[in-house]
Amino acid sequence: MPASGRWVRCLGVAAICLLSELALVACTGLQQVVPAPLVFEEQSQKILEIAPMGTQKEQAIQRLNAAGISGEFSSSPSIYYCDLWEREDGKRWHLNVALLFNETGELYKTRPAQADVSWERTADSATEAERQ
């Protein structure tokens, strides 16, 4: 196949891929998920406005789902990770809140779902490591 034919074929394949992706976005209303513009404490406060401390597990999940917040339980049924908040304005926020339920199924605590880990060493930790 001549070089110009390959070029036309590549453009055709690229156009089909682009049109397919646009059709998917148009049909599903797929929007980009962005990190929530709220710090953990603010995210936790908003969630607790929907499902206050002491709320039973099933009721808490129902309230969160009704508000557009979805998530999943860890391997333990006592920790629910709030993952996505589909807001009324169409924005989709990634959340960083875990809900902890006690043995009677009541919400008793929130904590960050993901640890804040940094690979950068501060001057103090570098000095401490050198002393050891």
Side-chain angles (χ1 to χ4, degrees), residues 50 62-70 84-87 93 95:
I50 298 166
Q62 286 175 348
R63 287 181 179 184
L64 293 171
N65 288 336
I69 297 174
S70 59
L84 179 68
W85 191 354
E86 299 202 35
R87 312 256 311 149
W93 291 354
L95 298 173

Side-chain angles (χ1 to χ4, degrees), residues 4-129:
S4 63
R6 283 189 289 242
W7 176 251
V8 170
R9 185 174 179 194
C10 284
L11 281 177
V13 169
I16 290 170
C17 290
L18 180 62
L19 289 174
S20 298
E21 188 172 328
L22 288 174
L24 176 66
V25 170
C27 291
T28 62
L30 194 64
Q31 286 193 322
Q32 183 179 11
V33 176
V34 297
L38 308 171
V39 295
F40 163 75
E41 290 80 11
E42 294 168 318
Q43 291 178 39
S44 183
Q45 179 184 12
K46 295 288 186 186
I47 287 172
L48 291 174
E49 289 173 7
I50 298 166
M53 294 291 184
T55 304
Q56 285 293 316
K57 186 186 324 183
E58 294 78 19
Q59 187 178 24
I61 303 309
Q62 286 175 348
R63 287 181 179 184
L64 293 171
N65 288 336
I69 297 174
S70 59
E72 61 186 350
F73 284 94
S74 69
S75 56
S76 165
S78 64
I79 303 173
Y80 184 81
Y81 293 98
C82 298
D83 186 43
L84 179 68
W85 191 354
E86 299 202 35
R87 312 256 311 149
E88 289 181 5
D89 60 6
K91 293 181 181 171
R92 301 174 77 207
W93 291 354
H94 180 281
L95 298 173
N96 185 32
V97 177
L99 305 178
L100 281 62
F101 295 92
N102 63 20
E103 56 280 342
T104 62
E106 294 178 339
L107 177 60
Y108 76 94
K109 185 176 181 180
T110 64
R111 68 172 171 87
Q114 300 171 352
D116 185 16
V117 177
S118 174
W119 292 103
E120 296 179 23
R121 291 173 52 177
T122 63
D124 290 341
S125 64
T127 305
E128 181 67 28

